[in-house]
Amino acid sequence: MAAVNGKKPRVLSGIQPSGNLTIGNYLGALKQWVEVQHDYDCFYCVVDLHAITTAQDPADLRQKTRESAAMYIAAGLDPEISTIFVQSHVPAHSELAWMLTCMAPLGWLHRMTQFKDKSAKQTQESIGAGLLNYPSLMAADILLYHADLVPVGDDQNQHLEFTRDLAQRFNHLYGETFTLPSVMNPQAGARVMGLDNPTAKMSKSEAAENHAVFLLDSLPAARKKIMRAVTDSHREIRFSKERERAGVNNLLTIYQAITNESSDAIEADFADMGYGNLKRAVADCVASTLEPLQARYYELMTEAGYLDSVLKLGREKAGAIAEATLKLAQERMGFLAPS
Ligand code: AQP
């Protein structure tokens, strides 16, 4: 997408501070955020309001929010270029989310795969209404900034479609107000699967020990998890959509997302090699990604005041844009302006 009238197209995305970030979050989201930050006007938030759609311990939530923001910078986001902020610091997110919730048909919300998956893990009594309304909040995040592009893993594509549909509905009812955003998925790594179960998406809130490599895992621990990854009883190393070959496909995908090599080149490199070689190669490239990221992260966490100053600046920049959009949407919907 090219700049229009000298203005760079806008990007918005976020990650929930609902646990420790995984290489799935990195390869599906963070890595492309960093790659596009010079070409677009980028806004990246730590989406704490989304995190509370499942139960969170208050002290943990506060801590994970700071850690996630630090991880954004450690992964390569430059706060002088990208706007980094905490979602709850900009109240317009909650306010527009309510307005959109009131317009969101229940049928659309009930069709969301993430809601079905996450609610299936809870009892009917413990599912909060926020889990169902999650996509309306995500729509508010995106629409407040008139984002053109939303870089995410492909598990979020359905929510992006929902956002477009809701924006269209609003524009149709109340007049042209919101920009329709497009999804941006990485070419490789759009869905990293669990190392212990390669038919399920790798998730930060999944408890099983060998499920995910976390960005703050020690390098030996990360290596160990990859060496233990579930594979199959075949020998050939090639990309495959077959369910029973999902483990090897996942390792190749992680390798490709990090090295940016073509599928053909990777298959040629691993021809005549065994699964042990593949796992070692994946462990090496994951370790070389984690090492500098962790060094920067721990440095940042000791720089007193720096993170707070980044988040304060982010809140001011994001808040100004979000407030203006919210005001316009409120006017369009018929709210009486305060005198
Ligand atoms: N396994 C994955 N592969 C590729 N991308 C992924 N993302 C998440 N998991 C993978 C992308 O990371 C961004 C932030 O996701 P999120 O934290 O907002 O929510 P999520 O998609 O529900 O991520 P998790 O890790 O599974 O969190 P929990 O366990 O809390 O639900 C998004 O761009 C997402 O696509």
Side-chain angles (χ1 to χ4, degrees), residues 2-191:
V4 179
N5 299 332
K7 271 178 75 178
K8 289 178 177 174
R10 187 164 288 156
V11 156
L12 178 124
S13 197
I15 298 180
Q16 303 181 71
S18 46
N20 296 317
L21 304 199
T22 70
I23 55 165
N25 298 129
Y26 177 76
L27 298 174
L30 267 175
K31 184 169 179 277
Q32 38 165 6
W33 296 4
V34 173
E35 284 164 359
V36 302
Q37 68 178 332
H38 293 280
D39 299 327
Y40 300 102
D41 180 22
C42 296
F43 287 74
Y44 297 121
C45 49
V46 181
V47 289
D48 52 351
L49 297 170
H50 280 280
I52 60 163
T53 55
T54 53
Q56 304 295 334
D57 171 76
D60 270 0
L61 180 62
R62 244 185 307 277
Q63 178 65 15
K64 296 283 170 239
T65 302
R66 287 185 72 79
E67 288 176 6
S68 301
M71 194 54 87
Y72 288 9
I73 302 169
L77 288 184
D78 179 348
E80 308 250 322
I81 294 173
S82 298
T83 304
I84 300 171
F85 66 104
V86 176
Q87 185 188 30
S88 67
H89 290 179
V90 180
H93 288 252
S94 307
E95 295 181 60
L96 183 62
W98 174 250
M99 292 155 68
L100 296 177
T101 294
C102 293
M103 295 180 51
L106 266 182
W108 294 7
L109 291 165
H110 276 289
R111 274 200 291 278
M112 295 294 123
T113 309
Q114 180 177 286
F115 173 70
K116 288 189 217 165
D117 289 350
K118 289 196 173 177
S119 58
K121 293 181 188 157
Q122 298 181 42
T123 60
Q124 198 62 26
E125 281 305 303
S126 65
I127 303 167
L131 194 60
L132 181 67
N133 286 321
Y134 181 111
S136 305
L137 176 59
M138 181 163 158
D141 301 337
I142 297 165
L143 300 177
L144 278 174
Y145 298 90
H146 299 290
D148 301 287
L149 291 162
V150 183
V152 282
D154 72 7
D155 62 314
Q156 295 299 330
N157 291 5
Q158 195 184 28
H159 290 161
L160 244 294
E161 274 308 310
F162 174 94
T163 299
R164 288 176 62 91
D165 291 345
L166 208 53
Q168 257 169 332
R169 178 176 263 238
F170 191 104
N171 289 349
H172 177 73
L173 287 171
Y174 302 112
E176 213 51 41
T177 306
F178 296 124
T179 303
L180 300 194
S182 299
V183 73
M184 184 194 259
N185 294 139
Q187 289 201 336
R191 187 176 298 222

Side-chain angles (χ1 to χ4, degrees), residues 177-249:
T177 306
F178 296 124
T179 303
L180 300 194
S182 299
V183 73
M184 184 194 259
N185 294 139
Q187 289 201 336
R191 187 176 298 222
V192 176
M193 310 305 279
L195 296 174
D196 59 337
N197 173 9
T199 58
K201 188 191 79 139
M202 183 182 284
S203 272
K204 65 174 109 61
S205 56
E206 172 60 57
E209 203 183 331
N210 286 318
H211 172 76
V213 171
F214 295 106
L215 297 181
L216 292 178
D217 273 346
S218 71
L219 301 188
R223 253 176 206 290
K224 204 154 135 193
K225 288 179 182 176
I226 293 166
M227 295 310 289
R228 288 185 178 170
V230 168
T231 51
D232 55 52
S233 54
H234 298 266
R235 301 178 73 88
E236 201 189 354
I237 298 178
R238 61 174 168 80
F239 288 91
S240 168
K241 292 205 186 326
E242 290 163 62
R243 194 177 161 86
E244 64 154 356
R245 312 215 62 196
V248 170
N249 190 67

